[in-house]
Amino acid sequence: MSQLLSGQVALVTGAAAGIGRATAQAFAREGIKVVVSDVDAQGGEATVELIRAAGGEATFIRCDVTRDAEVQALVAGTVAAYGRLDYAFNNAGIEIEQGKLADGQESEFDAIIGVNVKGVWLCMKHQIPVMLAQGGGAIVNTASVAGLGAAPKMSIYAASKHAVIGLTKSAAIEYAKKKVRINAVCPAVIDTDMFRRAYEVDPKKAEFAAAMHPVGRVGKVEEIASAVLYLCSDNAGFTTGIALPVDGGATAI
């Protein structure tokens, strides 16, 4: 068992599809009430319907995580809906750029850093006070294996994920004695809509992606969800400030 407490409350950003949707569903299966958030209202509502159809409890709140007022409203709306906030999975992110650093565009930089870094910072900024007031909580941020090393032709994305890990570790130390645990999960290539869009254009990318993992395949969204639930659970009660690779052995090479 994951040792999450049934009846508690989780907030998942970027939950309209992929890893976010799978994690929202995984929380709900544990009896957790889930606030699903995304800029994609249609996808977010679809996630809520999937949770409710399976007997879970969920509600959707639209939020652009780059806007402070919207993030503040998201966290306040979570507390208004369910009375508390026990777990947060700050997963909202945007796709990588495809090109060498000198070919990058300022608009790409602003967009990627805005969502992937500022978005995580704003979410924690508003989630942590709620958790402090209620006596504790657990936060997991989505980083990437690209945040653990070099990532040629995706330097802006890599920089954003290095920054997520820096935010995670720093905040974890700041609040370690306040019973707010903060960790990051670092997926490698995962079978999501984003991944499928890439390999539908070039099928060789799928073969390359599988080969870059020693296990010989890309990851599943459910495998990332399981890692997130572990990091939120009491089983990880002595774990804070880590960046956990879930990568089929890719970073072990």
Side-chain angles (χ1 to χ4, degrees):
M1 295 295 291
S2 67
Q3 293 197 16
L4 295 167
L5 295 180
S6 179
Q8 289 191 325
V9 179
L11 166 60
V12 180
T13 68
I19 292 169
R21 173 177 285 177
T23 305
Q25 291 176 294
F27 274 125
R29 284 193 294 270
E30 295 290 329
I32 307 298
K33 300 171 184 176
V34 184
V35 172
V36 170
S37 185
D38 207 293
V39 292
D40 176 2
Q42 183 175 0
E45 292 286 7
T47 299
V48 168
E49 289 306 312
L50 287 169
I51 290 171
R52 290 175 178 171
E57 187 171 351
T59 191
F60 175 73
I61 301 177
R62 187 189 182 282
C63 179
D64 177 348
V65 297
T66 69
R67 297 184 177 276
D68 181 79
E70 292 192 25
V71 177
Q72 186 173 8
L74 169 63
V75 174
T78 299
V79 175
Y82 295 126
R84 57 188 298 114
L85 174 60
D86 300 285
Y87 314 116
F89 180 37
N90 297 320
N91 172 67
I94 59 175
E95 297 183 35
I96 61 175
E97 79 276 22
Q98 297 286 342
K100 293 182 180 180
L101 187 146
D103 298 322
Q105 302 298 314
E106 185 178 11
S107 59
E108 286 181 316
F109 184 93
D110 290 344
I112 292 170
I113 297 299
V115 176
N116 294 3
V117 183
K118 183 181 178 182
V120 168
W121 175 73
L122 283 174
C123 284
M124 289 199 292
K125 172 182 170 62
H126 293 292
Q127 293 158 356
I128 289 169
V130 174
M131 293 180 176
L132 291 174
Q134 68 190 23
I139 296 172
V140 178
N141 299 319
T142 297
S144 167
V145 294
L148 297 171
K153 294 188 177 180
M154 43 192 278
S155 59
I156 304 170
Y157 180 83
S160 76
K161 295 304 184 178
H162 277 269
V164 168
I165 293 171
L167 287 171
T168 299
K169 289 177 177 287
S170 299
I173 300 307
E174 290 174 358
Y175 299 101
K177 292 182 179 179
K178 299 293 186 180
K179 298 183 180 179
V180 177
R181 294 187 302 102
I182 305 169
N183 294 290
V185 65
C186 299
V189 182
I190 306 300
D191 187 8
T192 62
D193 290 342
M194 187 187 302
F195 170 66
R196 293 187 195 114
R197 282 194 294 271
Y199 79 69
E200 282 173 0
V201 173
D202 183 1
K204 290 185 179 179
K205 287 185 177 180
E207 297 176 12
F208 175 78
M212 69 180 282
H213 307 95
V215 299
R217 65 173 176 85
V218 300
K220 302 174 183 177
V221 291
E222 294 82 6
E223 291 169 323
I224 307 304
S226 293
V228 174
L229 264 64
Y230 163 71
L231 290 172
C232 286
S233 75
D234 287 345
N235 287 330
F238 199 52
T239 301
T240 195
I242 71 161
L244 177 66
V246 187
D247 63 358
T251 56
I253 298 174

